[in-house]
Amino acid sequence: MIIYFADRYMSLLGKASTKLSGGMRIENDKATDDIEADVKTLEFEIPYGNDKGRVEKLTTPGNYLLRSSDLENEFYTIIDTETDTQNRTVSVYAEDAGLDLVNRECESLDNTESHQIAWYIEKFAYDSGFVIGINEISDRSRTLSWEGEASGTERLLSIATQFDAEISLSFEIERFKVVKKLINIYKKRGMDNGVKLRLGKELRRVITKRSVSELATALKATGGTPEGADVPITLYGHTYDDGDIYLEGMYLKSRSALQTWSRYNSESGNYTGHILKMFNYDTTSQSELCNRAVNELKRISKIIVTHEAEFADVPPKLRAGDIVQVIADDTRYRARVKKIETSESSRTRTAELMDYE
């Protein structure tokens, strides 16, 4: 892996590598792609020897990084650095979103009309340099509002969540210069290329856990407290019904979960027998609170089955969001790659799986 450093004018300042014997050396690197965070991160250390000033200049927060590896080319902005005089290293933390989204403050939005996702993203990413690239949900519309401020990345993640979509950032690079910064919108990131992960080959072991410790059939959701108000918002007055989960007053309820888990399946009583839990999420938007609560109720209204997979070898072309087949003994199921961490210096790749079928 080679990393090129550039200033805010995209003028190249120097480079460092995990492989080259001469020049600056990269150690303890970790590139992370997590579909739930929607931001790629890059961390590494550079031993500075007797050239501390030059290394600190190259790694000045706000500078750009172009990362070249066997997998792909990526663009990052340095967010934080730390100089350690004992170990004589400079540690770097960078994100692919850049200051234009990470440090961008998005104001509240009072909106009463339905718009497509592009309308919201263009409103909050205005003048950031980012434009919409791929858009797989151009037919969906939502009526969304926000109170309070948030960073550009937080607001984009909120928009994607409420549209039941996922986003990623990509960059078009020509001769070490970024010519286009893109916000891509997907129904779901990743691909299903028939990748198989087999116990004893790609996987060392698989641990399966089943639990009803979080089980509930209904949620009472509360959000944040709007400016000037004394109490947090609830879902009272909002409407939602997808055929299974529906809103009744302040309570979200699951029809199918009630049929399975109501204590009145074996008892008699005057009430429905819902298993009720509280749900809190810090938002002043009823629509966002409802969306988050619905997703949580879907998750906890059934037996939660989790599989922990310990990799022996992560396939080199596997990406975050991809669908894989897990084959363990007499069990076969599909799973989704939640996160991938890659270290070029130690030649390791680790992955986490989620959404098992």
Side-chain angles (χ1 to χ4, degrees):
M1 176 181 70
I2 300 176
I3 290 178
Y4 296 91
F5 299 89
D7 60 20
R8 299 293 294 177
Y9 298 95
M10 285 303 298
S11 300
L12 289 180
L13 304 175
K15 65 181 180 180
S17 172
T18 56
K19 297 180 180 179
L20 298 178
S21 57
M24 285 186 293
R25 188 175 72 257
I26 296 170
E27 297 180 349
N28 300 321
D29 65 298
K30 182 174 70 173
T32 303
D33 186 4
D34 189 333
I35 59 175
E36 292 184 346
D38 280 329
V39 174
K40 291 182 181 179
T41 63
L42 178 62
E43 303 170 67
F44 58 89
E45 294 177 354
I46 296 181
Y48 58 73
N50 297 318
D51 208 359
K52 175 170 170 282
R54 173 164 170 74
V55 174
E56 286 186 327
K57 180 179 179 181
L58 292 180
T59 59
T60 298
N63 279 359
Y64 297 123
L65 299 177
L66 293 173
R67 174 179 179 259
S68 176
S69 69
D70 296 334
L71 298 175
E72 56 191 332
N73 295 315
E74 298 170 346
F75 174 76
Y76 296 86
T77 300
I78 298 175
I79 304 299
D80 300 304
T81 64
E82 181 178 291
T83 301
D84 186 332
T85 58
Q86 180 175 352
N87 294 323
R88 302 183 71 78
T89 58
V90 174
S91 301
V92 175
Y93 171 79
E95 294 185 1
D96 69 342
L99 299 179
D100 299 312
L101 290 179
V102 174
N103 285 19
R104 182 184 184 86
E105 287 292 333
C106 296
E107 298 179 346
S108 60
L109 175 65
D110 185 12
N111 172 55
T112 59
E113 297 181 3
S114 180
H115 299 284
Q116 295 176 337
I117 192 171
W119 186 88
Y120 294 101
I121 288 181
E122 289 171 353
K123 189 172 188 65
F124 291 118
Y126 172 75
D127 203 31
S128 67
F130 282 86
V131 296
I132 294 176
I134 297 170
N135 184 359
E136 294 183 348
I137 60 164
S138 59
D139 58 332
R140 299 180 191 175
S141 296
R142 300 284 190 276
T143 303
L144 305 178
S145 297
W146 290 267
E147 291 194 18
E149 298 179 345
S151 71
T153 51
E154 291 171 337
R155 188 58 54 82
L156 290 180
L157 184 56
S158 176
I159 295 170
T161 298
Q162 295 189 73
F163 271 87
D164 299 316
E166 294 175 350
I167 60 175
S168 72
L169 306 179
S170 65
F171 307 88
E172 294 183 6
I173 300 173
E174 295 180 1
R175 298 181 61 85
F176 301 108
K177 186 175 181 64
V178 176
V179 296
K180 190 173 290 188
K181 300 190 290 187
L182 301 171
I183 299 171
N184 300 305
I185 308 161
Y186 302 95
K187 294 178 181 177
K188 271 196 172 183
R189 286 176 56 190
M191 303 180 68
D192 185 355
N193 293 321
V195 174
K196 296 179 180 179
L197 305 177
R198 292 155 291 198
L199 187 63
K201 292 188 177 181
E202 293 83 8
L203 302 175
R204 288 194 182 93
R205 66 172 179 169
V206 176
I207 300 173
T208 301
K209 299 179 181 179
R210 299 175 177 85
S211 176
V212 292
S213 63
E214 300 180 61
L215 192 134
T217 64
L219 292 178
K220 180 181 179 182
T222 57
T225 303
E227 186 176 350
D230 298 322
V231 295
I233 68 167
T234 68
L235 293 179
Y236 187 78
H238 196 65
T239 58
Y240 184 87
D241 191 333
D242 62 13
D244 178 25
I245 295 176
Y246 65 99
L247 185 60
E248 186 175 76
M250 294 187 293
Y251 302 92
L252 272 175
K253 300 179 179 181
S254 169
R255 296 181 176 95
S256 62
L258 179 65
Q259 290 179 352
T260 303
W261 299 106
S262 172
R263 65 179 182 275
Y264 295 134
N265 290 341
S266 57
E267 301 175 12
S268 61
N270 297 323
Y271 298 99
T272 57
H274 270 289
I275 302 172
L276 176 66
K277 282 196 172 184
M278 304 295 118
F279 176 78
N280 298 285
Y281 185 76
D282 189 17
T283 179
T284 54
S285 166
Q286 275 192 321
S287 59
E288 182 172 11
L289 178 61
C290 183
N291 186 282
R292 298 276 183 168
V294 167
N295 288 338
E296 176 67 2
L297 186 54
K298 287 179 179 179
R299 186 182 74 86
I300 66 174
S301 60
K302 56 191 174 185
I303 297 175
I304 296 178
V305 181
T306 60
H307 301 272
E308 298 177 1
E310 182 179 317
F311 281 80
D313 180 31
V314 179
K317 293 184 179 181
L318 201 63
R319 296 289 185 271
D322 283 356
I323 302 297
V324 298
Q325 291 187 48
V326 178
I327 303 171
D329 298 329
D330 59 347
T331 305
R332 180 190 296 249
Y333 47 86
R334 285 155 51 88
R336 192 170 183 227
V337 181
K338 173 185 178 292
K339 179 170 70 173
I340 289 184
E341 293 182 351
T342 305
S343 174
E344 297 286 343
S345 59
S346 61
R347 297 182 180 277
T348 59
R349 294 188 86 213
T350 60
E352 292 183 17
L353 304 180
M354 63 181 288
D355 292 350
Y356 296 86
E357 298 177 5

